[in-house]
Amino acid sequence: MAKPMDIDGSMLEGGGQILRMALGFSVLCRKPVRIFNIRGGRKKPGLLAQHMKGIELLRDLCSAEAKGLEIGSTEIEFHPGEIGRGKFTAHIETAGSVSLLMQAVLPVAIFGSGAITLDLKGGTNVEMAPQVDFMTEIFRPNMEKFGATFDFDLFRRGYFPKGGGHCVVHVKSIRSLRPVTLVDFGVINKCYGWSFVSGAVPIKVAKDLSGGAKNMLKRIYREDIDIEEYRESVDMATDNCSGIILGIQTTTGVVMGGAALGSRQKDAFRIGEDAANVIKSAYKLRACVDRHVQDMVVVLMALAEGRSRIKTEPLTLHTQTAIHVAQMMTDAKFTVTEQENGSFIIECDGIGIQNQVE
């Protein structure tokens, strides 16, 4: 058995992202890894339920051998095999994020030996993770620029603290990812979103979230802003929650977004403004991805065949971590250049991973 590469899970971002990325690259590049100091940058280090399910899902996808899989573990060893096909299941018993499962597994699943179906349960709209709607409405169009996509069926939403959300993700395998050049922002031609409440939360909260978002977005877009305000059906969600997901499109194909969940500690109008300010912040620099998609596209850039160039805001710590792990585990070469207006160009010569699909 090959000696695994050592990876310090406490570096830079110091959380679950290092774990997700390192294991994804381990599978794709067939490199065994030993990850220690897992989530060393968090108040409660070690594996939580959602991390366990993510590792188990990746293990099952590629028939890997994994050691150290238990709640609280701060070290694991992972020896990957060939990526398979078929249906795979990950059911988090808590409100752990299904979006983070998707973030970990999608770059691997697209290189499966055939179509892959992911049956996922957990939290669909929870703090400290992208809402599942952000993954489908904002991340997916950016993923499609690289030549990969997924289909998505949502059966039930899951909120903190109970979870219980259920979705199924369908992924078709591809031969390779193409490089992307996304440096021209263009002009905004569509501004839209969804503002929701569920359970006993009054519909006024959805209207206030939407009102705050529109108040901020109208500073950068003078036309109609189409935000649907609605109450989730009892069949879809019984627990109390509220939130908003926003998006813009431009004449050059840029798709970016912002999102937030409601809170008893903060006025809904202000929360709506904060979600919209993520878009406004990127717009000021004419960045072509928002700060939350920034680190997710780094993985795709590293895997693509050829040179990608994407214009961003200043790099988040998550993005710095993504670039560091990608360069440590692959032959991808990144350069980051600051522009005169304070934006940045991330450039990457990807490794051009090839999949021998039938």
Side-chain angles (χ1 to χ4, degrees):
M1 192 174 284
K3 186 177 185 297
M5 173 187 288
D6 284 342
I7 295 172
D8 186 347
S10 68
M11 64 184 174
L12 292 169
E13 183 265 344
Q17 183 200 15
I18 296 169
L19 186 70
R20 290 188 293 273
M21 285 196 61
L23 290 176
F25 284 129
S26 170
V27 177
L28 290 163
C29 299
R30 300 295 299 275
K31 289 182 179 178
V33 291
R34 182 180 76 95
I35 307 171
F36 59 96
N37 291 336
I38 291 172
R39 299 181 65 251
R42 298 294 183 260
K43 288 182 180 178
K44 187 179 179 182
L47 299 177
L48 300 177
Q50 70 180 51
H51 306 113
M52 285 279 293
K53 291 300 181 183
I55 299 168
E56 289 169 356
L57 185 56
L58 283 167
R59 177 198 65 193
D60 295 346
L61 270 172
C62 70
S63 301
E65 289 187 31
K67 301 176 185 176
L69 296 195
E70 55 188 52
I71 299 294
S73 174
T74 57
E75 181 178 320
I76 66 163
E77 197 170 301
F78 191 87
H79 293 259
E82 298 277 354
I83 307 170
R85 66 176 79 183
K87 184 175 181 178
F88 300 89
T89 301
H91 293 173
I92 309 173
E93 302 299 328
T94 67
S97 170
V98 297
S99 295
L100 293 181
L101 289 178
M102 291 170 64
Q103 205 177 96
V105 172
L106 282 173
V108 173
I110 58 177
F111 289 104
S113 59
I116 286 175
T117 297
L118 305 170
D119 188 302
L120 309 176
K121 288 184 179 179
T124 59
N125 303 74
V126 292
E127 295 284 2
M128 306 300 290
Q131 295 188 57
V132 75
D133 314 75
F134 187 90
M135 295 295 290
T136 59
E137 305 307 316
I138 307 301
F139 172 67
R140 179 165 53 182
N142 282 286
M143 185 182 189
E144 287 170 348
K145 296 179 194 307
F146 290 86
T149 192
F150 58 90
D151 292 324
F152 183 87
D153 295 313
L154 180 63
F155 298 104
R156 189 171 182 82
R157 292 192 180 274
Y159 307 132
F160 182 83
K162 294 181 182 177
H166 182 203
C167 62
V168 174
V169 185
H170 306 277
V171 188
K172 289 183 179 177
S173 56
I174 61 169
R175 290 196 179 277
S176 62
L177 290 170
R178 58 176 175 258
V180 167
T181 297
L182 201 57
V183 295
D184 180 8
F185 181 86
V187 176
I188 300 172
N189 60 7
K190 188 178 180 184
C191 194
Y192 52 94
W194 300 266
S195 182
F196 71 90
V197 295
S198 68
V201 182
I203 192 67
K204 181 182 183 300
V205 173
K207 295 182 182 298
D208 288 347
L209 287 166
S210 175
K214 288 178 179 177
N215 185 56
M216 185 65 69
L217 290 171
K218 68 184 181 184
R219 302 176 196 182
I220 64 171
Y221 186 66
R222 301 292 184 183
E223 306 300 323
D224 287 342
I225 299 171
D226 181 20
I227 300 177
E228 180 186 354
E229 302 158 359
Y230 69 100
R231 174 178 297 284
E232 286 286 3
S233 70
V234 176
D235 291 340
M236 184 62 72
T238 55
D239 297 332
N240 296 339
C241 192
S242 62
I244 189 165
I245 299 94
L246 303 168
I248 63 166
Q249 293 180 11
T250 78
T251 51
T252 55
V254 167
V255 177
M256 66 170 65
L261 291 172
S263 169
R264 292 179 181 175
Q265 283 73 49
K266 192 171 181 181
D267 178 73
F269 189 90
R270 299 285 174 244
I271 292 172
E273 285 190 323
D274 289 348
N277 197 48
V278 173
I279 295 173
K280 181 170 172 279
S281 171
Y283 173 81
K284 282 169 63 177
L285 299 181
R286 301 302 191 269
C288 295
V289 294
D290 60 75
R291 68 186 68 154
H292 300 301
V293 167
Q294 200 183 86
D295 62 290
M296 290 192 265
V297 296
V298 162
V299 180
L300 302 177
M301 294 170 81
L303 300 174
E305 186 175 12
R307 178 169 296 181
S308 294
R309 299 177 71 241
I310 296 182
K311 188 178 183 182
T312 72
E313 293 180 87
L315 273 57
T316 65
L317 185 56
H318 274 89
T319 301
Q320 294 172 46
T321 304
I323 290 173
H324 181 77
V325 175
Q327 291 194 136
M328 185 167 60
M329 294 200 64
T330 76
D331 291 328
K333 298 290 186 289
F334 284 85
T335 56
V336 179
T337 311
E338 184 172 3
Q339 307 301 293
E340 288 185 4
N341 71 342
S343 66
F344 286 75
I345 301 288
I346 302 175
E347 191 167 82
C348 174
D349 290 318
I351 61 174
I353 189 168
Q354 298 289 315
N355 185 18
Q356 303 303 316
V357 289
E358 294 175 1

